[in-house]
Amino acid sequence: MFAKHTVYKHDNYNMLIVEVQGKTLVVREISEQWGETCHKFLSRPELMNWAEKRFLPEDFPDGEEGLRAAMEKLKSI
């Protein structure tokens, strides 16, 4: 069984889930616009680098606060 972490869930169609599969981090990004996108990372720094480039405050309903909360959750995985 893999550890599954929900980083954010705005509704049933917009969410980010991280599965820890041994040393591999599998990120499932689900959006109503693009469907499901899967990313695999071999390290936490690689995951954080991707997240810092990928997300903007405008991507979250509560802006800067939502982005900060999502990044903190990613760091804690």
Side-chain angles (χ1 to χ4, degrees), residues 55-72:
F55 297 111
L56 300 171
E58 302 86 64
D59 297 329
F60 296 86
D62 44 355
E64 189 73 40
E65 189 175 315
L67 174 60
R68 191 172 19 260
M71 296 304 278
E72 286 300 317

Side-chain angles (χ1 to χ4, degrees), residues 17-69:
I17 298 167
V18 178
E19 293 177 7
V20 180
Q21 301 177 357
K23 292 184 177 183
T24 305
L25 301 163
V26 178
V27 177
R28 298 188 190 286
E29 189 176 10
I30 302 166
S31 73
E32 60 188 323
Q33 183 178 10
W34 302 108
E36 182 174 332
T37 307
C38 187
H39 310 276
K40 289 186 180 186
F41 301 99
L42 299 177
S43 68
R44 283 172 176 74
E46 185 182 11
L47 166 65
M48 292 308 297
N49 186 42
W50 169 81
E52 288 166 1
K53 292 177 182 175
R54 164 65 184 88
F55 297 111
L56 300 171
E58 302 86 64
D59 297 329
F60 296 86
D62 44 355
E64 189 73 40
E65 189 175 315
L67 174 60
R68 191 172 19 260

